[in-house]
Amino acid sequence: MPYKDKISEIDWSELTPEGFEKKVTTILQHPPGSPGYENIYKSLFAGQKFKKIYSETWGRYAEAKTIEHLILQGLPIREWNWHPESGKGEIDIIAQRGNRLLFIEVKARSDKKDDPWEAITDKKMRELCRGADLYIKTNELDLEYQFDLALFSGNPEDYRFEYIADAFLCPLTSKR
């Protein structure tokens, strides 16, 4: 079923910030490897440099597929590629389910044999936790939260997708 048909009855204006619908649909209609995809991604993400065009656009495509997955569940998207003022601790997607924030990390690997879960290291979890903490404090929110993972392996034409809700808790840290 074409992408537009799956979401034709969804009101994007209530589920996403302004401009998300165009960006997500454009990405999903032009997966990495399709004719002219490099220029489309460069215009959508103006100012960002792609060092490895295919792998980085595959990651963006995986993020757009995750947003589609969440929107089809009726979950509002608060942020996409949120960066704190400090510049450290990007969070791929922030969605909301009732009074709970979902901080979602998306990992895409171009080989089905590669396990994207392996990229979720203790260091990555600590970065996500710091970023989530900053987001909550910056926006003065009093909401529950969880960390979800969206894992992709393969390529845009043939991939395996796994969504893991409440995938991990923040690791304990101590300063000695």
Side-chain angles (χ1 to χ4, degrees):
M1 180 179 287
Y3 176 74
K4 286 277 187 193
D5 293 342
K6 286 199 252 181
I7 61 162
S8 60
E9 296 179 22
I10 292 175
D11 184 0
W12 283 74
S13 65
E14 291 192 14
L15 294 173
T16 59
E18 189 176 332
F20 270 39
E21 178 181 13
K22 182 178 184 209
K23 197 173 206 178
V24 171
T25 55
T26 300
I27 288 171
L28 294 177
Q29 292 167 353
H30 300 91
S34 63
Y37 81 98
E38 297 102 332
N39 293 330
I40 291 166
Y41 282 75
K42 285 178 182 175
S43 68
L44 287 174
F45 299 98
Q48 294 181 18
K49 294 183 180 181
F50 289 93
K51 296 174 190 168
K52 302 174 190 169
I53 187 81
Y54 184 84
S55 62
E56 291 180 38
T57 55
W58 171 213
R60 297 290 186 189
Y61 183 80
E63 290 170 357
K65 289 301 285 183
T66 302
I67 289 171
E68 175 189 44
H69 170 78
L70 297 166
I71 286 174
L72 289 172
Q73 292 180 34
L75 300 180
I77 308 299
R78 295 177 67 106
E79 302 282 349
W80 182 10
N81 293 311
W82 180 82
H83 293 83
E85 293 291 320
S86 67
K88 293 183 180 180
E90 177 205 30
I91 297 177
D92 292 333
I93 301 167
I94 302 171
Q96 189 167 347
R97 177 179 282 129
N99 69 340
R100 180 176 286 257
L101 290 176
L102 311 178
F103 294 99
I104 303 156
E105 177 67 11
V106 179
K107 289 295 178 193
R109 296 294 177 258
S110 49
D111 189 335
K112 280 191 174 181
K113 296 174 192 164
D114 291 341
D115 185 0
W117 179 259
E118 292 175 0
I120 310 300
T121 62
D122 286 343
K123 179 181 177 186
K124 183 65 179 173
M125 285 189 272
R126 283 191 302 276
E127 289 172 1
L128 290 167
C129 292
R130 275 193 297 272
D133 186 54
L134 282 169
Y135 183 82
I136 290 168
K137 287 178 181 174
T138 301
N139 292 289
E140 299 177 359
L141 300 171
D142 185 23
L143 298 170
E144 296 176 10
Y145 61 92
Q146 69 186 48
F147 297 92
D148 294 1
L149 298 175
L151 308 174
F152 292 79
S153 56
N155 60 62
E157 294 82 35
D158 180 28
Y159 60 87
R160 187 175 66 236
F161 170 65
E162 183 178 9
Y163 190 88
I164 303 169
D166 212 2
F168 64 89
L169 298 173
C170 290
L172 295 176
T173 58
S174 64
K175 295 181 180 179
R176 292 186 180 187

